[in-house]
Amino acid sequence: MTVKPDWLRVKAPQWERVGNVKEILRDLALNTVCEEASCPNIGECFNAGTATFLIMGPACTRACPYCDIDFEKKPKPLDPTEPARLAEAVRRMKLNHVVITSVNRDDLPDGGASQFVDCIEGIRAISPNTTIEVLIPDLCGNWEALELILQAQPEVLNHNTETVPRLYRRVRPQGNYDRTLELLERSRQLAPWIYTKSGIMVGLGESDEEIRQVMRNLRSVDCDILTIGQYLQPSQKHLKVDGFIHPDQFAAWKAFGEELGFLQVVSSPLTRSSYHAEQVRELMARYPRRRGQGE
């Protein structure tokens, strides 16, 4: 495996705090994308008492060659107790902001939209002041399912673009670049008061101009928040890293994104789509929106 540069070294976590979060997750039998996808920031986020919850998993119906989540054609049925267990974890961890993501569940008619709704409602029932971000799959273009999620009123709707159009067939073979843009555009049209967000991985062979064009495309559908981070190969069986991008380039993309009008651009080698997601509360205070705004 390619040797990582100095700027990708991660500070060793304080395992006492990490262990406390892990204990809550194990007690409530919950999955986190932090663990399932081998995130390099797990120590920092668990130390801070935050986690990105992975629902409907841990197995996924897609086998994207960059992702470390297990693949299963026929995953287990949804667990009706999962939303209540997730809500209890949010309460125990005293989270101000929670991120809920999921595996792809192409086996379900609504792609799992109803489970997202139940999780949002469960959290709101016992932690009404916690802001909620959902990082959703493309739902196979089921726009009625998307509307169900939006009607549950998460503060942030995140759907990752992942890479540039030229690399979709290799990196995200069951995804569709235009469908991703359409999902974000429809979210803005259906619920303009909800902040929309997307993320890009770099280091897979894309060019600077290709990244900038994706950024322009995302702004053309009025996407609010963008994350850009370095792709890291989870194992030898996954896609190889084409190159490690220097922090100066990430800074240049951040500046370009701000010029384009994104409300927030988080761009650095270790950035992931939910890394420091709690900062969105500051963004919401700076750029407040209310339900019905823009209708």
Side-chain angles (χ1 to χ4, degrees):
M1 203 171 289
T2 312
V3 177
K4 295 175 188 174
D6 289 345
W7 62 78
L8 282 169
R9 290 182 181 173
V10 182
K11 187 179 178 182
Q14 299 170 20
W15 286 108
E16 183 180 347
R17 183 66 176 107
V18 171
N20 184 45
V21 174
K22 278 179 172 281
E23 190 177 313
I24 292 172
L25 297 172
R26 295 296 83 79
D27 184 43
L28 295 168
L30 291 166
N31 300 304
T32 64
V33 75
C34 323
E35 296 169 290
E36 300 300 329
S38 306
C39 179
N41 303 313
I42 185 169
E44 181 179 349
C45 294
F46 277 20
N47 278 333
T50 64
T52 297
F53 294 98
L54 181 72
I55 63 171
M56 299 186 277
C60 184
T61 55
R62 298 187 190 180
C64 298
Y66 66 86
C67 183
D68 203 25
I69 291 177
D70 291 336
F71 165 72
E72 269 184 32
K73 274 188 178 178
K74 294 183 179 178
K76 295 176 183 175
L78 295 182
D79 184 341
T81 72
E82 183 176 54
R85 288 184 285 110
L86 174 54
E88 175 60 15
V90 171
R91 186 191 69 79
R92 288 193 200 177
M93 292 169 68
K94 299 181 173 66
L95 298 183
N96 291 320
H97 183 78
V98 61
V99 182
I100 309 165
T101 190
S102 78
V103 293
N104 282 279
R105 289 298 302 261
D106 297 339
D107 58 314
L108 302 172
D110 70 353
S114 56
Q115 193 82 339
F116 271 105
V117 171
D118 289 347
C119 287
I120 293 168
E121 291 177 348
I123 292 166
R124 288 265 156 77
I126 62 174
S127 301
N129 295 321
T130 298
T131 49
I132 300 173
E133 176 176 331
V134 291
L135 171 53
I136 67 169
D138 63 20
L139 306 169
C140 295
N142 182 339
W143 306 131
E144 290 180 2
L146 172 63
E147 191 165 1
L148 273 180
I149 295 172
L150 293 168
Q151 285 171 351
Q153 296 296 308
E155 276 74 19
V156 181
L157 188 291
N158 186 353
H159 176 61
N160 283 336
T161 309
E162 304 293 12
T163 190
V164 301
R166 177 176 59 85
L167 297 177
Y168 251 64
R169 184 171 292 183
R170 181 163 69 92
V171 175
R172 200 180 190 188
Q174 291 164 283
N176 181 288
Y177 182 77
D178 291 333
R179 185 165 64 200
T180 284
L181 290 177
E182 185 175 358
L183 184 152
L184 292 164
E185 184 173 33
R186 285 177 178 267
S187 298
R188 169 62 70 239
Q189 292 168 350
L190 289 165
W193 56 89
I194 292 176
Y195 300 84
T196 53
K197 177 177 176 180
S198 195
I200 310 169
M201 300 178 294
V202 295
L204 287 162
E206 67 291 319
S207 69
D208 171 50
E209 179 50 36
E210 284 178 310
I211 290 295
R212 289 173 184 256
Q213 188 54 52
V214 170
M215 294 170 76
R216 293 185 195 102
N217 291 158
L218 288 169
R219 280 303 300 142
S220 76
V221 295
D222 208 15
C223 181
D224 294 311
I225 304 165
L226 176 65
T227 59
I228 308 175
Q230 170 74 51
Y231 167 69
L232 297 174
Q233 185 182 14
S235 77
Q236 292 285 10
K237 68 181 181 180
H238 291 86
L239 280 178
K240 287 184 169 57
V241 175
D242 182 80
F244 292 111
I245 311 303
H246 193 276
D248 290 350
Q249 179 63 72
F250 284 98
W253 286 325
K254 176 178 171 64
F256 181 66
E258 289 170 348
E259 288 173 13
L260 288 176
F262 286 100
L263 299 184
Q264 182 186 56
V265 182
V266 184
S267 177
S268 74
L270 287 174
T271 291
R272 295 296 178 266
S273 55
S274 9
Y275 185 46
H276 288 177
E278 72 281 356
Q279 292 176 357
V280 79
R281 288 173 69 91
E282 299 168 21
L283 180 144
M284 291 165 61
R286 201 158 59 244
Y287 305 103
R289 292 177 183 168
R290 64 184 184 278
R291 182 184 168 90
Q293 187 174 334
E295 286 186 304

